[in-house]
Amino acid sequence: MQDDQLRQMAILVNSHHLQVSSATQAAMASEVDPEARVILQALQPQPLLASTSNPMRLDLKSSLPNGIQTVSANDETWRILVKPLDSGVRIAIGQRTSVRNEIARNSALRTVLPFFVLIPVLLLLVNVLISRMFKPMTQLALDLDHSDGQGLQALNFDHVPTEVHPFVVAINRLLARVAQSMALQRRFLADAAHELRSPLTALSLQSERLAATELSEQARERVDALQSGLQRSRQLLDQLLALARAQDSDKLSAGVVSVRRVCHRVLEDLMPLALAKEIDLGMVLHETGSDALVSAQDIDVYIMTKNLVDNAIRYTPRGGQVDVSIGERDGNTELQVADSGPGISEEHRQRVFDPFYRVIGNDEIGSGLGLSIVKTIADRLGANVTLDFATKLDQSGLLVTVAFPHAPTSAP
């Protein structure tokens, strides 16, 4: 652009037949702003005498070729355009390169500076717009992440962008198929366990009749082993039925249940098992004496409490102690079952809630379903189950705490 300016000036001089005089040039040049000065002079075939020399005149050689070029003159660098006029005179139009560079820098700065100001603003606006556009997607991800894996409710896509609707519809169809598959598995589990109870009951009766007859000592040992195996099988079927019921997503209407009454029933039912192992089983009463109420079904609270106490009795050594306590903390009703058994180490506390998982090295016979049933029912009721050592100093015993949301109404 700056070179074109020099060309335009040369065309102007030639078209208007302007006379280029050294004296006039020097006088005019002295009145121009030095920062914007453009030198216009005729190339002399011979150098001027010292008397006629002027500091504003460039010392240029007459042999310079025509065209635009960069030369050094008067201890500075100049951009020179050499052009012959129609009159035969060769003229030189020049400008300091330092001035040209400064003009270029200023022009570039004025051009680029708005972009440096606008780019952060645009990035911020784009970030806000993208965040608002994808906020429904983030909410969908949270809904999926917080799903308990039992309900598998369909996702709501009312506020989702239209482009994402097919994706959400596909996810809902997948969730429906998974829910159907899980329901079929639970139904099969419940039906299989229920159908197996009848033949096991018949086998138990036959074994009892066989045990009532006169048998040799060796035959008596085998019958006792058979009865023990049948008893374990019946217990496993009962646990499977309880697990299938706990995993059922069809929630019936919940009422207000007295946890204390449920605990009394559980202790009465399991007292023979505790007496057989000489275990001190009891309930710890708090000074307040107020009843603990939760919003749930009575059978759910009963199955949960019975499994906790049954596990505590089975895994506590003979002559140990199992305590059941009820209290309130932070607006929640807490049911705690503590035993004097070996406890559960921290690395196994998450796995023990998995069905059929048993801690390695434990010789007690069990199905590994007790805590899984407790966890399943607790999740459905909105309760929280935590495991800890009953005695933290020597890290012995197991303390299971179930925190229920407190019921707002009184028990019937």
Side-chain angles (χ1 to χ4, degrees):
M1 183 185 65
Q2 293 172 330
D3 289 343
D4 287 339
Q5 290 179 352
L6 298 180
R7 296 188 182 97
Q8 293 289 339
M9 294 178 66
I11 294 173
L12 182 63
V13 172
N14 186 46
S15 61
H16 290 274
H17 305 288
L18 300 178
Q19 297 295 325
V20 181
S21 171
S22 299
T24 304
Q25 156 63 20
M28 294 177 60
S30 62
E31 298 175 358
V32 179
D33 183 9
E35 296 297 331
R37 182 180 296 125
V38 177
I39 300 298
L40 171 61
Q41 69 180 48
L43 291 181
Q44 300 294 334
Q46 298 294 331
L48 296 176
L49 299 176
S51 59
T52 62
S53 63
N54 191 295
M56 301 306 301
R57 180 180 176 81
L58 298 181
D59 184 13
L60 301 175
K61 297 179 180 180
S62 60
S63 60
L64 288 175
N66 296 335
I68 295 179
Q69 53 206 289
T70 302
V71 299
S72 296
N74 299 5
D75 298 329
E76 290 182 296
T77 303
W78 292 78
R79 186 68 170 171
I80 301 295
L81 169 63
V82 178
K83 180 176 179 61
L85 301 179
D86 294 341
S87 60
V89 179
R90 298 177 72 226
I91 62 172
I93 303 176
Q95 188 178 23
R96 291 184 180 90
T97 57
S98 59
V99 177
R100 293 162 57 94
N101 293 338
E102 182 179 356
I103 294 174
R105 284 195 299 269
N106 292 338
S107 300
L109 182 61
R110 286 192 295 268
T111 304
V112 175
L113 184 59
F115 288 99
F116 281 108
V117 177
L118 290 176
I119 286 177
V121 177
L122 291 176
L123 290 177
L124 180 61
L125 291 177
V126 170
N127 185 35
V128 172
L129 291 176
I130 292 178
S131 299
R132 290 185 178 181
M133 290 177 60
F134 284 94
K135 186 176 181 180
M137 298 297 299
T138 304
Q139 186 61 41
L140 288 177
L142 291 176
D143 294 341
L144 281 175
D145 189 50
H146 293 162
S147 177
D148 57 2
Q150 300 295 332
L152 295 179
Q153 299 296 328
L155 300 177
N156 185 5
F157 53 89
D158 291 341
H159 303 288
V160 176
T162 307
E163 295 78 8
V164 189
H165 280 189
F167 178 71
V168 180
V169 171
I171 290 181
N172 287 338
R173 291 175 179 172
L174 176 62
L175 292 177
R177 292 194 295 269
V178 172
Q180 183 179 7
S181 176
M182 294 177 61
L184 291 176
Q185 292 180 5
R186 289 193 296 267
R187 186 62 183 173
F188 170 78
L189 180 64
D191 291 343
H194 186 270
E195 292 297 327
L196 288 174
R197 294 184 67 179
S198 297
L200 277 179
T201 302
L203 289 176
S204 298
L205 293 176
Q206 294 296 333
S207 65
E208 291 176 1
R209 294 181 60 183
L210 181 62
T213 61
E214 294 183 3
L215 299 173
S216 62
E217 183 177 355
Q218 185 177 8
R220 178 70 59 182
E221 292 178 356
R222 295 181 178 179
V223 171
D224 292 340
L226 174 62
Q227 289 181 326
S228 178
L230 291 174
Q231 180 63 28
R232 290 195 300 270
S233 299
R234 293 185 63 181
Q235 181 183 359
L236 175 60
L237 290 180
D238 291 339
Q239 293 286 70
L240 288 175
L241 286 173
L243 179 61
R245 185 189 184 283
Q247 290 179 343
D248 189 2
S249 59
D250 296 333
K251 298 182 179 180
L252 301 177
S253 58
V256 179
V257 180
S258 170
V259 181
R260 177 170 296 181
R261 294 180 183 177
V262 172
C263 289
H264 280 300
R265 289 166 49 196
V266 170
L267 295 183
E268 292 175 358
D269 293 342
L270 296 180
M271 186 60 69
L273 180 62
L275 293 176
K277 295 186 65 175
E278 300 178 357
I279 291 178
D280 181 9
L281 174 63
M283 178 181 293
V284 179
L285 299 177
H286 295 277
E287 296 179 358
T288 58
S290 60
D291 200 358
L293 307 177
V294 296
S295 178
Q297 297 182 47
D298 183 82
I299 187 62
D300 286 336
V301 180
Y302 176 81
I303 292 176
M304 180 185 299
T305 306
K306 184 177 180 180
N307 276 276
L308 290 176
V309 178
D310 182 80
N311 273 6
I313 295 175
R314 291 182 181 279
Y315 291 97
T316 299
R318 180 176 295 274
Q321 183 177 351
V322 175
D323 293 328
V324 180
S325 62
I326 305 171
E328 294 185 4
R329 179 181 299 178
D330 299 331
N332 295 327
T333 300
E334 286 191 349
L335 169 65
Q336 291 185 332
V337 178
D339 60 59
S340 58
I344 299 177
S345 59
E346 295 183 1
E347 59 268 20
H348 294 289
R349 288 180 184 176
Q350 292 299 326
R351 294 293 309 279
V352 293
F353 293 114
D354 297 338
F356 303 105
Y357 180 83
R358 293 173 50 82
V359 179
I360 299 176
N362 198 319
D363 297 332
E364 182 64 28
I365 298 175
S367 60
L369 292 174
L371 290 179
S372 177
I373 295 173
V374 172
K375 179 64 174 176
T376 302
I377 297 177
D379 291 342
R380 185 151 53 85
L381 298 180
N384 186 32
V385 183
T386 57
L387 306 179
D388 201 352
F389 289 110
T391 306
K392 295 185 179 181
L393 295 179
D394 56 359
Q395 294 186 345
S396 62
L398 178 64
L399 174 63
V400 183
T401 303
V402 183
F404 297 91
H406 191 63
T409 57
S410 59

